[in-house]
Amino acid sequence: MAAFSSLWRPLPEPELTGQLEEVRRNLPPGILVASLMGTGSVLLLAFMQDQRHLLSWLPIYLLLQLSTSLLLKVLGRHALSPRAWFRVLIGVFGSAGLVWGGLPFFVESGPGSLTALLFLTTVISVHCAGTYTLTGASLPLYCSYMLPALTSMAMAFFLHSESMSVAMGVMVLLLIGCMVLFAARAQAAGVEKLRLQLANQQLVGRLQDESRLLARARQVAEDASRDKSRFLAAASHDLRQPMHALGLFLEALGRTSLDGSQRNILAKLKAVSGSANELLGALLDFSRLDAGIVVPAPQRFAMQTVLRKLEQELAPVAEERGLIYRSRDTSLAVTSDPVLVERILRNLIVNAINYTEQGGVLVACRRRGDQVWIDVRDTGVGIAPEHQKNIFREFYQIANPERDRRKGLGLGLAIVEGLCRTLRAPLTMVSMAGRGSLFRVALPLAAGALVDGRAVSPIHRPLAPMSVLVVDDDPEVREAMQVLLESWGCRCRMAESAGEALRQALPVPHLLVVDFRLRDGKTGAAAIEALRKAYGETVPAIIITGDTAPDRLREVRRVGADLLHKPLEPDALYRALVRGWNKKKADSTGFEHQ
């Protein structure tokens, strides 16, 4: 009983709003249909059963329908609350029920009165059924129409003394009870449906809000990543430019006559310059990975070649720190990019040396199925579990709050992870705090003949009669480049832009060496294209850049030039010159001495 009585209480406003919305939307066409049905029924009964008194009811009914339509139209222009609309609709359906309930009392008594009442009962019942489809989800609205309409019909039957009319009155009362029961169930189902709809709408709203927040967070992260790349590119370029000139001058100075003390100082200068270059190189490696322009060049090579080179390079560093460096000899070979594999292992070994205070570092290979596992094991400080998921993030360092440059920038393992991802080489790590770490890289086992992957420093033989045009807007770099290139026997001409080179009307050179960033926003790529167009041939070119921004690096590749990064290693420049010289098929000797 309590559950049934609760159906008469006002619904919470969200459910009431949804409940009334459908009623308000379907009420105007319902009024039109009801008006046509009521008018036709009354006219039919009035003329076929000679019940002319019913015609006096018809103007009352039509006036009510017209007034209701006008009222709804006027109120529709006002922002009424859901509860105000509910009261208005109670009045609308209640007045209609009262008017229909009064219709039986317009029936004239006589032989055909019972037939007329039966006919009106059928009409009103059909009308109540139609109203049920409109208001069945709201028990108060439905009952405000149905109860006065059918209760008066039952009373009209009871007023006749005939047994048939009394029985019909009882049947009408039973019909009222059934309709109230059906309406109560319909309201309960409708309210539950509305609640589910509201819950779904709220869930969709929360999901949309979370989606917007995620999109905003993703945009912030992308902006931060772009800002980071731009910062790295700008900082890298600004630092590389003077380091580039310094390296060229130091190399040129080393080719002059110096006494023992001066050569000792020069060696220390080169060591300091090399340390700075390593830090900048780490920034460059990370930026190149971030740009997605690292393209592996897989080949078959013996792992012993790489391990021997790394041992010769890094064992003295470990010994200076009082550590033992061991590298087990191996006959295994892999198929991968030897340069990238060497870079991965160098970063892992340097990281192991930096974080090991006693004991040593072991580098070893072993075969597992069709893979070669390369292990770098140390007895260092190890990595606590809470740090292990972050160590491959860029600039993340566990124990370097003082930012000791000897421990790097925190990019080594980020570069390792990026290079392994590029090579599709699984990287795993096992570590315990205070007990050291093991990093393992898995590479595919090679089959067939091997290629010796050792990097051999070039012998700087004279490059005469190679002619080189250098385009750089920095006079110090031009001067250092000219000294170095002429020490290798090149005939060298200088220009600060492509336009100046063309104004000099110089013969076509064998090779172009162009800085990427030139004055007035011009780029080395554009300068190469302009010079090639003026010369009428594709002159081999080298672009030298300190810019690590991803878009810039992709632009350099577009012109098909060799790419070297500042600070420039003289050996790398020499090898690039030799490659360019080999590409040059023409017999022209280039510039003439002037």
Side-chain angles (χ1 to χ4, degrees):
M1 188 70 180
F4 182 80
S5 63
S6 66
L7 297 174
W8 294 90
R9 299 171 187 167
L11 294 174
E13 192 158 304
E15 287 86 351
L16 183 62
T17 301
Q19 190 182 66
L20 297 183
E21 185 63 31
E22 186 174 355
V23 175
R24 289 176 54 193
R25 185 172 59 252
N26 295 324
L27 187 55
I31 291 176
L32 177 61
V33 172
S35 300
L36 294 175
M37 187 179 73
T39 301
S41 301
V42 169
L43 291 176
L44 182 65
L45 188 61
F47 290 104
M48 292 187 66
Q49 293 293 322
D50 196 22
Q51 292 285 340
R52 303 303 174 88
H53 287 175
L54 294 176
L55 296 176
S56 59
W57 174 87
L58 193 57
I60 301 173
Y61 176 67
L62 294 178
L63 179 62
L64 172 67
Q65 298 293 73
L66 179 61
S67 302
T68 300
S69 299
L70 293 175
L71 176 65
L72 294 175
K73 187 175 182 180
V74 171
L75 292 179
R77 300 171 184 170
H78 297 77
L80 297 181
S81 67
R83 299 203 179 280
W85 268 112
F86 183 75
R87 289 191 292 269
V88 169
L89 293 176
I90 285 288
V92 168
F93 285 100
S95 60
L98 289 173
V99 170
W100 275 99
L103 181 58
F105 297 102
F106 283 83
V107 175
E108 299 178 37
S109 59
S113 60
L114 184 59
T115 303
L117 288 176
L118 288 173
F119 179 80
L120 290 179
T121 301
T122 303
V123 171
I124 294 175
S125 297
V126 171
H127 204 273
C128 287
T131 305
Y132 178 83
T133 61
L134 182 63
T135 63
S138 175
L139 182 62
L141 286 181
Y142 180 66
C143 289
S144 66
Y145 170 79
M146 185 269 297
L147 288 177
L150 287 180
T151 302
S152 61
M153 180 60 66
M155 291 176 59
F157 277 116
F158 287 137
L159 290 176
H160 285 69
S161 58
E162 300 177 13
S163 59
M164 177 62 71
S165 64
V166 173
M168 289 304 302
V170 173
M171 292 295 294
V172 171
L173 291 178
L174 291 175
L175 177 62
I176 292 173
C178 290
M179 287 188 171
V180 170
L181 180 61
F182 290 154
R185 291 180 176 178
Q187 173 170 300
V191 169
E192 183 63 23
K193 177 183 176 181
L194 287 171
R195 286 174 179 165
L196 290 175
Q197 288 177 343
L198 289 173
N200 287 337
Q201 291 173 358
Q202 292 172 356
L203 178 59
V204 170
R206 286 196 299 269
L207 290 175
Q208 290 174 340
D209 291 340
E210 291 176 2
S211 178
R212 284 191 291 268
L213 290 174
L214 287 174
R216 191 177 300 115
R218 183 169 57 250
Q219 185 63 44
V220 169
E222 290 174 354
D223 291 343
S225 179
R226 283 192 295 268
D227 291 342
K228 176 194 66 181
S229 295
R230 283 194 292 266
F231 169 76
L232 287 176
S236 170
H237 179 272
D238 292 344
L239 290 173
R240 286 173 184 275
Q241 191 73 357
M243 293 300 298
H244 171 53
L246 176 61
L248 296 177
F249 278 123
L250 289 176
E251 180 66 21
L253 181 60
R255 302 178 67 84
T256 63
S257 299
L258 300 175
D259 59 30
S261 176
Q262 291 170 331
R263 289 204 172 274
N264 185 43
I265 294 174
L266 178 62
K268 292 180 179 179
L269 286 173
K270 285 186 174 182
V272 172
S273 176
S275 177
N277 287 345
E278 287 179 6
L279 295 178
L280 291 174
L283 283 172
L284 173 63
D285 286 343
F286 178 76
S287 183
R288 286 165 60 85
L289 286 169
D290 199 31
I293 64 170
V294 177
V295 180
Q299 63 184 49
R300 295 184 296 273
F301 64 96
M303 278 305 307
Q304 183 61 28
T305 303
V306 176
L307 298 186
R308 186 187 305 117
K309 179 182 178 182
L310 292 172
E311 182 177 7
Q312 292 171 353
E313 176 186 341
L314 298 175
V317 178
E319 291 171 1
E320 288 180 3
R321 297 172 60 94
L323 304 176
I324 300 172
Y325 184 103
R326 292 179 58 197
S327 178
R328 290 178 181 169
D329 291 343
T330 181
S331 60
L332 295 173
V334 298
T335 300
S336 189
D337 186 316
V339 175
L340 300 186
V341 170
E342 179 183 323
R343 195 171 301 170
I344 289 171
L345 296 179
R346 179 181 288 105
N347 280 332
L348 288 176
I349 296 169
V350 168
N351 185 75
I353 293 173
N354 287 339
Y355 289 94
T356 301
E357 298 176 356
Q358 59 182 0
V361 177
L362 171 65
V363 184
C365 296
R366 52 179 167 161
R367 178 176 178 176
R368 283 294 181 271
D370 59 352
Q371 289 185 329
V372 174
W373 288 0
I374 309 169
D375 293 349
V376 177
R377 188 187 302 268
D378 66 66
T379 58
V381 296
I383 305 168
E386 63 269 20
H387 295 298
Q388 291 184 6
K389 65 180 180 180
N390 294 319
I391 61 170
F392 294 106
R393 290 169 45 196
E394 63 269 20
F395 305 111
Y396 186 86
Q397 289 181 299
I398 300 174
N400 190 16
E402 70 279 6
R403 304 305 299 175
D404 184 351
R405 66 176 178 82
R406 293 173 297 177
K407 295 183 180 180
L409 297 174
L411 287 175
L413 292 180
I415 293 170
V416 166
E417 193 274 336
L419 290 175
C420 287
R421 188 172 61 249
T422 300
L423 292 176
R424 297 183 179 179
L427 171 67
T428 55
M429 178 201 67
V430 178
S431 183
M432 294 181 64
R435 300 186 63 180
S437 303
L438 166 66
F439 288 86
R440 173 174 295 154
V441 180
L443 296 173
L445 180 68
L450 301 179
V451 176
D452 190 348
R454 287 177 292 180
V456 180
S457 298
I459 300 173
H460 295 170
R461 298 186 178 91
L463 296 176
M466 179 185 290
S467 58
V468 180
L469 171 61
V470 177
V471 179
D472 197 306
D473 59 358
D474 190 320
E476 291 183 352
V477 172
R478 291 200 302 270
E479 180 183 355
M481 186 70 75
Q482 183 170 11
V483 171
L484 182 60
L485 292 177
E486 289 181 348
S487 73
W488 290 338
C490 297
R491 287 180 288 173
C492 191
R493 292 293 182 267
M494 301 289 162
E496 68 173 15
S497 66
E500 182 186 347
L502 294 175
R503 285 192 295 272
Q504 293 179 23
L506 301 171
V508 180
H510 294 126
L511 196 69
L512 302 173
V513 178
V514 185
D515 187 50
F516 181 73
R517 283 193 178 183
L518 301 173
R519 290 181 181 173
D520 300 324
K522 301 294 178 61
T523 67
I528 290 172
E529 291 177 332
L531 290 170
R532 286 174 173 174
K533 183 177 180 180
Y535 295 148
E537 61 178 277
T538 304
V539 181
I542 299 170
I543 288 182
I544 301 174
T545 180
D547 198 333
T548 60
D551 294 341
R552 300 293 183 268
L553 297 176
R554 296 187 189 101
E555 184 179 352
V556 169
R557 292 190 176 276
R558 180 176 55 83
V559 297
D562 250 348
L563 180 62
L564 299 178
H565 291 274
K566 302 174 184 177
L568 187 61
E569 290 290 338
D571 285 354
L573 176 60
Y574 185 90
R575 288 192 293 268
L577 291 171
V578 172
R579 286 195 300 270
W581 176 256
N582 292 333
K583 290 179 183 177
K584 185 68 173 174
K585 302 300 182 180
D587 295 329
S588 172
T589 58
F591 294 125
E592 300 295 335
H593 287 289
Q594 298 178 358

